[in-house]
Each structure stands twice: as structure tokens, then as C-alpha cells.
Amino acid sequence: RLDETTGGLVIVDYKTGRSPAARFRERGDLFFQLEVYALLLSASGRWENPATHPATLRLIFLGDGAMLEKTVGQRDIEATEQQLRAVYTEMLVAFSTGSFTPCNRAGCFACGANGNGANSAGAARQLAAPAAPGQPRQSRGDRPPRRR
């Protein structure tokens, strides 16, 4: 959701779960999704001047009603763009070499490649071998269930 207030632009994202524990709030990626939205708004011209009118990023957790906020400006937008470019470059290298490095974050079960998932041994191989041309991609229902 986008709110335009007298204080500037507010980019809001609602999360259905509870807010993260204090130790996870310090991670640099908590607001990354909203930072990407801010980058896109800046690039589209929708956010007129991030250098002089910073935006507020707001996460609202419906599970416990907590609200977290972060203010971002031009430097933050540039850093987000650099981070996205770096991730994109890493992805191109991984696809071209077939070498996928697990993220090794505690609590990450997104792909199983870090050894936490139910099918971690085969997950990295599946990621490294995309579907052949003309073949459908693996649907979510074909994947092993996530562990929580």
C-alpha cells in the first residue's frame, strides 16, 4: 500500500504472521522487499525526489499488531540497486556454471540446499538443473513440503 502524507511517501506491507524476534530485527534484509518497491517507485518517477523527501517503509504484522518502520532516502535507494545488481550477477554466474551456494541462514527452508530442508541432498541438484526447453517447470505441488 502507498500512502502520501504531509510527511512524505509511506510504503506499507502487511504481514500475516507475528513480528520477528528482536534478534532477527537487526538483520539487514527485513525491509529489503520494501526497499525494492522504493527503488521501483523512484525509477518510475512516482517518488518525486528521494534525495530531499525520504520515504517511510512500514511493516505491519497482523499476528501481533506490531509495526516496524525505517526511513529511506536516495543513498538507501542506490545501495538497494547495487545489491540487486550484485545478486543478479551472482545468479548469472550460478546458472552458467551450475554451482549454487546455499544461503546457510538459520531458519531458511526455502530450497533445502542449505541442509535444513527435508530433501536437502537433491535440492541443490534440482536448482542446478533447470527444466529442459519445452518442459514445464516444477510446480509447487511437486516439491517436497517445507519444514517449519
Side-chain angles (χ1 to χ4, degrees):
R1 182 175 109 184
L2 293 177
D3 293 331
E4 294 187 51
T5 68
T6 56
L9 187 65
V10 180
I11 305 169
V12 182
D13 190 16
Y14 292 91
K15 300 296 184 184
T16 57
R18 295 181 309 182
S19 59
R23 64 186 173 152
F24 293 113
R25 291 182 186 191
E26 302 305 316
R27 286 191 355 206
D29 62 352
L30 187 62
F31 286 92
F32 185 68
Q33 178 182 355
L34 292 176
E35 290 167 345
V36 171
Y37 295 163
L39 170 64
L40 295 172
L41 286 167
S42 176
S44 73
R46 175 86 163 87
W47 182 12
E48 290 185 25
N49 194 348
T52 57
H53 295 88
T56 300
L57 308 181
R58 182 177 295 153
L59 290 168
I60 300 175
F61 295 88
L62 301 176
D64 59 9
M67 182 173 57
L68 302 176
E69 290 187 342
K70 176 181 179 179
T71 301
V72 294
Q74 186 64 41
R75 287 187 180 161
D76 301 296
I77 298 304
E78 291 167 359
T80 299
E81 183 176 9
Q82 289 176 355
Q83 187 176 1
L84 279 176
R85 288 182 186 278
V87 169
Y88 178 70
T89 300
E90 289 176 24
M91 290 171 61
L92 290 177
V93 169
F95 283 121
S96 67
T97 63
S99 175
F100 291 82
T101 305
C103 68
N104 292 323
R105 279 197 336 226
C108 179
F109 301 103
C111 68
N114 65 2
N116 290 330
N119 188 18
S120 60
R125 286 190 299 274
Q126 287 176 342
L127 287 174
Q135 296 295 317
R137 292 183 53 149
Q138 189 178 37
S139 72
R140 188 157 196 72
D142 297 336
R143 295 181 192 159
R146 288 188 187 182
R147 285 179 32 195
R148 297 200 186 249

